[in-house]
């Protein structure tokens, strides 16, 4: 309800509206409200598409989230597609590592264990550089 209140207060063209939709989508993912999560991620994506460069780091976050949605509903091909698009964005090292781990997870689910292991190790090593603890 807090995020919905923010949407009521912010002007429709405010720079943070898309991020609010991303957060609402994330909360819906946590509650397993898949359709509502997807709807909010798509709203965030559509806003960003109009306002940002296609390789903007903020796109990476939304594309990764849409990938998470597809993984949650069992559409692993579409999940991997969105994760791959997220990696094309100018992500920070931490976000790129998380997306790499997500691709590794999809590959493991699909039985591509060698490729999955390679990506998971790459993601782990990258995370250890940004968060050594």
């Amino acid at each position: 309800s807090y995020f919905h209140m923010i949407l009521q207060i912010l002007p429709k063209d405010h720079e943070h509206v898309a991020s609010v939709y991303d957060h609402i989508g994330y909360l819906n993912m946590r509650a397993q409200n898949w359709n509502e999560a997807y709807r909010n991620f798509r709203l965030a994506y559509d806003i960003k598409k109009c306002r940002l460069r296609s390789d903007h780091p903020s796109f990476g976050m939304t594309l990764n989230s849409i990938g998470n949605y597809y993984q949650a509903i069992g559409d692993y091909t579409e999940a991997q597609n969105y994760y791959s698009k997220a990696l094309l964005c100018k992500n920070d090292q931490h976000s790129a590592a998380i997306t790499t781990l997500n691709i590794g997870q999809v590959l493991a689910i699909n039985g591509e264990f060698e490729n999955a292991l390679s990506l998971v190790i790459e993601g782990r090593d990258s995370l250890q550089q940004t968060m050594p603890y």
Side-chain angles (χ1 to χ4, degrees):
S1 63
Y2 172 75
F3 287 117
H4 289 289
M5 181 186 70
I6 290 174
L7 287 175
Q8 297 301 316
I9 294 169
L10 289 177
K12 299 293 182 211
D13 61 347
H14 193 277
E15 65 181 302
H16 294 300
V17 169
S19 293
V20 174
Y21 283 119
D22 276 328
H23 289 292
I24 293 171
Y26 172 77
L27 291 173
N28 278 292
M29 287 290 290
R30 298 282 305 202
Q32 299 181 355
N33 296 329
W34 311 127
N35 292 334
E36 197 60 25
Y38 180 76
R39 188 179 76 76
N40 282 282
F41 292 142
R42 287 305 303 193
L43 287 168
Y45 179 78
D46 291 342
I47 291 168
K48 290 176 184 184
K49 196 165 55 171
C50 293
R51 297 182 185 167
L52 303 173
R53 295 178 330 272
S54 63
D55 66 346
H56 192 279
S58 183
F59 262 115
M61 183 178 87
T62 302
L63 291 167
N64 186 66
S65 295
I66 294 172
N68 289 341
Y69 159 78
Y70 279 111
Q71 188 176 149
I73 65 166
D75 188 341
Y76 304 116
T77 301
E78 203 60 24
Q80 187 170 352
N81 180 38
Y82 276 93
Y83 292 144
S84 295
K85 288 178 184 179
L87 284 180
L88 296 176
C89 297
K90 294 181 180 175
N91 299 302
D92 60 37
Q93 187 175 359
H94 178 83
S95 297
I98 296 298
T99 302
T100 300
L101 289 171
N102 287 339
I103 293 172
Q105 185 176 9
V106 168
L107 291 175
I109 290 167
N110 287 330
E112 298 178 44
F113 300 116
E114 286 185 34
N115 292 335
L117 181 60
S118 173
L119 283 177
V120 168
I121 290 171
E122 178 186 330
R124 180 208 59 197
D125 291 347
S126 186
L127 281 177
Q128 285 179 336
Q129 290 176 7
T130 61
M131 301 169 43
Y133 53 89

